[in-house]
């Protein structure tokens, strides 16, 4: 089936459990930037999301209509119940919008967290459903262990099954979904995440800001992200003794929050790194920009990473990057060309790649130049929005084809019923004539 990549204005419904200023992981930024780019391309975009804190229930966010919903007033027994309650309220909000005359051409559900709302709205209103799987429960946990993880895994499968088209952000994720859920390859569309290519325009290194975290003579090795096991910060801390033994004027700055904070602090303390590892905590977007500009190397040592948007931000900022040879990171970085790679889960390999950059300013200059060019060429939102719109077109056409097929089957069934009915009306008449003749 051929589709033209022409821009036809669409009314798009985005379902996401996070949207700025609520930022839990990478989904918030993806939904925000994609929605705004689609709006700039002439589409109407409505986002329904969770209301966290003192933010308005409705916001016109530079053309994107953002509707936020509360969760139930009753406390939930667990996270699964909390998500289910949130989905109920999302469904109610969309139903309210449709009752007021809103129409949507496509639903775009982000991750299992909005699966119930996406499926219900698709079924109730006949709107085509597309979903993006940003990560899988099996990938995050190196398998499925326990009933909760099995439930989330099954919900992910349901969402991909109910969706006409599925979007993932890397070939690694495409293979993972095909392996886990048995999806047809042509149903899975690889559309990478992107960054705002103007993110670091007019942002210069702020030395006063930098001195909050390191001395002027120290090279900052930066980690930016959630403090969870799959991000691999434990391996980066384990690499620091070798790095310091060879390049003493260096310091690891860890930015982010997460459940491993205490464990990581204890690890740094037990290795005698108290004054060489700084936990900076969560940073807002402005300070994130400043931090990237202050860093000398950015490191993303993940053990599981479907994509790695933070690596793109670091590359765009002009900071040389070191990444694990895993998942989407492995597809973004070409070793020695636009960054450095290390073996996933290997602190020794991580230290070697970091030291290579610390001792080779010319290599740093070259990889930075190549990295900026690659990000601007391949990971700009204009291109990504066009590819996403193309996927929407496919989903809509498939849904129309399914409707036509069902309609044809229904017409055939009705003809069969009518034929059988006509036959039963005729048979008694013939029987009566035979009886009269006798």
């Amino acid at each position: 089936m051929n589709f033209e990549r022409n821009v036809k204005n669409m009314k798009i419904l985005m379902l996401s459990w996070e949207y700025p200023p609520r930022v839990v992981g990478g989904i918030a930024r993806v939904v925000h930037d994609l929605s705004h780019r689609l709006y700039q391309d002439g589409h109407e975009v409505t986002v329904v999301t969770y209301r966290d804190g003192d933010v308005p229930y409705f916001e016109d966010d530079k053309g994107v209509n953002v509707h936020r919903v509360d969760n139930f007033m009753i406390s939930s027994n667990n996270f699964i119940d909390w998500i289910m309650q949130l989905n109920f309220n999302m469904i109610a909000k969309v139903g309210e919008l449709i009752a007021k005359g809103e129409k949507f051409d496509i639903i775009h559900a982000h991750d299992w967290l909005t699966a119930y709302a996406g499926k219900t709205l698709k079924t109730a209103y006949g709107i085509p459903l597309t979903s993006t799987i940003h990560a899988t429960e099996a990938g995050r946990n190196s398998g499925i262990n326990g009933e909760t993880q099995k439930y989330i895994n099954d919900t992910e499968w349901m969402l991909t099954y109910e969706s006409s088209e599925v979007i993932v952000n890397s070939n690694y994720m495409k293979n993972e979904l095909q392996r886990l859920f048995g999806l047809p390859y042509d149903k899975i569309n690889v559309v990478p995440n992107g960054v705002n290519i103007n993110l670091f325009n007019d942002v210069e290194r702020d030395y006063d800001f930098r001195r909050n975290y390191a001395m002027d003579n120290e090279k900052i090795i930066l980690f930016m992200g959630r403090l969870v096991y799959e991000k691999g910060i434990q391996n980066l801390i384990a690499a620091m003794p070798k790095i310091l033994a060879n390049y003493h004027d260096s310091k690891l700055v860890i930015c982010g929050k997460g459940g491993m904070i205490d464990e990581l602090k204890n690890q740094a303390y037990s290795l005698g790194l108290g004054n060489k590892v700084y936990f900076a905590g969560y940073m807002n977007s402005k300070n994130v920009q400043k931090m990237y500009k202050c860093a000398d190397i950015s490191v993303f040592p993940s053990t599981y990473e479907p994509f790695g948007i933070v690596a793109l931000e670091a590359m765009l900022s002009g900071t040389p990057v070191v990444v694990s040879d895993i998942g989407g990171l492995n597809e973004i970085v070409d070793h020695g060309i636009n960054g450095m790679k290390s073996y996933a889960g290997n602190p020794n390999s991580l230290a070697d790649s970091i030291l290579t950059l610390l001792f080779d300013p010319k290599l740093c200059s070259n990889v930075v130049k190549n990295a900026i060019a690659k990000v601007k060429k391949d990971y700009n939102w204009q291109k990504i929005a066009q590819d996403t719109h193309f996927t929407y077109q496919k989903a809509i056409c498939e849904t129309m084809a399914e409707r036509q097929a069902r309609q044809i089957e229904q017409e055939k069934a009705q003809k069969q019923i009518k034929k059988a009915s006509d036959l039963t009306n005729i048979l008694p008449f013939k029987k009566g004539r035979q009886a009269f003749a006798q």
Side-chain angles (χ1 to χ4, degrees), residues 19-35:
Y19 186 90
R22 172 178 165 82
V23 178
V24 180
I27 297 177
R29 281 177 290 176
V30 170
V31 175
H32 175 274
D33 292 349
L34 175 60
S35 296

Side-chain angles (χ1 to χ4, degrees), residues 97-384:
L97 295 174
I98 291 175
K100 291 179 179 178
E102 287 280 1
K103 293 183 179 179
F104 300 106
D105 298 311
I106 191 79
I107 300 168
H108 190 164
H110 291 267
D111 254 4
W112 74 273
L113 301 146
T114 59
Y116 317 115
K119 170 180 164 47
T120 304
L121 292 168
K122 166 201 165 183
T123 305
Y125 297 103
I127 306 171
L129 174 64
T130 296
S131 62
T132 294
I133 304 297
H134 295 268
T136 66
E137 188 71 1
R140 282 187 292 266
N141 298 285
S142 301
I144 298 300
N145 308 289
E147 289 303 313
T148 299
Q149 291 180 15
K150 183 178 184 302
Y151 181 86
I152 294 172
N153 179 77
D154 291 348
T155 306
E156 290 169 346
W157 169 83
M158 180 195 74
L159 179 59
T160 62
Y161 177 81
E162 293 290 341
S163 300
S164 297
E165 293 290 328
V166 176
I167 296 173
V168 294
N169 45 38
S170 64
N171 286 303
Y172 171 84
M173 278 296 291
K174 180 169 184 172
N175 292 329
E176 183 169 307
L177 256 64
Q178 202 281 328
R179 175 177 59 83
L180 288 172
F181 305 137
L183 296 182
Y185 246 48
D186 58 0
K187 183 177 180 177
I188 311 172
N189 304 268
V190 178
V191 181
N193 293 333
V195 291
N196 177 1
I197 60 175
N198 300 315
L199 186 63
F200 294 97
N201 287 2
D202 303 322
V203 181
E204 301 294 335
R205 176 171 284 196
D206 184 337
Y207 285 94
D208 290 333
F209 179 81
R210 191 182 191 278
R211 292 183 185 110
N212 293 322
Y213 308 99
M215 293 186 291
D216 288 351
N217 63 304
E218 290 180 312
K219 298 285 188 180
I220 290 181
I221 301 167
L222 175 67
F223 170 83
M224 185 77 68
R226 291 181 296 124
L227 308 187
V228 292
Y229 180 82
E230 64 265 26
K231 296 302 179 182
I233 314 102
Q234 65 276 7
N235 299 316
L236 179 54
I237 293 174
M240 284 305 293
K242 181 176 180 178
I243 294 169
L244 292 167
N246 290 274
Y247 201 103
H248 183 71
D249 287 340
S250 56
K251 188 169 186 178
L252 174 59
V253 178
I254 298 173
C255 300
K257 60 182 180 179
M260 281 190 73
I261 179 70
D262 293 333
E263 183 179 338
L264 294 172
K265 285 182 176 179
N266 289 336
Q267 181 189 4
Y269 178 79
S270 67
L271 291 172
L273 302 172
N275 64 337
K276 284 295 185 177
V277 178
Y278 187 95
F279 290 87
Y282 174 79
M283 289 191 172
N284 61 35
S285 58
K286 291 295 182 184
N287 285 342
V288 167
Q289 291 171 287
K290 287 183 179 181
M291 198 70 239
Y292 277 129
K293 281 293 186 180
C294 290
D296 296 281
I297 298 174
S298 291
V299 185
F300 305 100
S302 302
T303 58
Y304 172 73
E305 192 64 73
F307 184 70
I309 195 169
V310 284
L312 291 184
E313 291 177 343
M315 292 165 73
L316 186 63
S317 73
T319 307
V321 300
V322 176
V323 303
S324 297
D325 62 342
I326 195 77
L329 293 173
N330 195 38
E331 297 174 28
I332 293 171
V333 173
D334 298 311
H335 184 66
I337 297 174
N338 55 28
M340 300 292 287
K341 292 181 184 178
S342 65
Y343 297 123
N346 189 323
N348 190 59
S349 173
L350 201 55
D352 287 343
S353 291
I354 293 169
L355 287 167
T356 298
L357 289 173
L358 286 174
F359 282 110
D360 195 339
K362 184 177 180 181
L363 175 62
C364 288
S365 177
N366 288 337
V367 299
V368 163
K369 181 178 67 175
N370 293 333
I372 292 173
K374 182 179 179 68
V375 172
K376 288 185 175 180
K377 175 178 176 289
D378 295 336
Y379 300 102
N380 66 82
W381 279 112
Q382 182 177 4
K383 179 179 183 299
I384 292 163

